[in-house]
Amino acid sequence: TWLSSITVSAAASDAAGLQTYAGNLYYSQQAVLGRYDGTNGNANFGTFTNSNTNPKPMKVLAGSIFIGNDNVVAQYDGTTFTASKLSLPSNFIIRSMEVFGDKLYMSSDNSSSNPTQSRMFIWDGTSNTFESFIDIPSEKNAPSLKAESGFLWLVANRGNSTPGSPIYVFNGSQSMFF
């Protein structure tokens, strides 16, 4: 049953991300974060520092919602929207985010059109800098992340699904390859 709909900017599909937080639905658009409370929408809830059409993945960690925006992570803590809570090296673009344990893992690569390196950054959600990173040397494009069954799964993004595309599993201390 269709319940309701709202109209958002035309660029919403270019950087789409959806996440529930504190009873509301948050959706990313190219330059802004929108919020829908089940009755009313605010398509311009927060403004991002970068308005590129790159993906804007979202995850909830430690009482805040975090939004990847190119190499920057925005935060909304229920009171204040901070457009730039964390900055990664400028040549990396966050493609996927996942909460694993009590950390935020961000899969990224180093180009919007022709990546040559992918890297997974690890952050506690509060420090001024990321804690560490893991290079993924065999992947040019940032893998997609999914936490499940006590593991962090990384699925290669090599375009068309081909036999032999790897799936990586991370247990918090060492990675494994399938």
Side-chain angles (χ1 to χ4, degrees), residues 46-103:
T47 302
F48 295 122
T49 56
N50 299 316
S51 61
N52 296 334
T53 59
N54 292 318
K56 295 193 174 30
M58 295 186 247
K59 287 296 172 183
V60 175
L61 171 68
S64 292
I65 183 172
F66 294 98
I67 306 100
N69 178 25
D70 286 347
N71 70 310
V72 176
V73 179
Q75 175 191 26
Y76 177 61
D77 64 7
T79 304
T80 304
F81 177 79
T82 305
S84 184
K85 178 68 177 172
L86 174 74
S87 293
L88 302 180
S90 61
N91 60 325
F92 282 91
I93 297 169
I94 301 166
R95 305 286 184 187
S96 180
M97 294 169 57
E98 187 63 78
V99 173
F100 181 60
D102 59 352
K103 308 283 185 207

Side-chain angles (χ1 to χ4, degrees), residues 2 4-18 25-37 40-46 48 58:
W2 186 266
S4 65
S5 68
I6 58 174
T7 302
V8 298
S9 71
S13 63
D14 295 337
L18 292 171
L25 177 67
Y26 291 84
Y27 53 95
S28 58
Q29 301 171 77
Q30 185 171 341
V32 295
L33 178 67
R35 177 173 76 179
Y36 181 66
D37 66 9
N40 298 304
N42 179 353
N44 295 304
F45 180 75
F48 295 122
M58 295 186 247

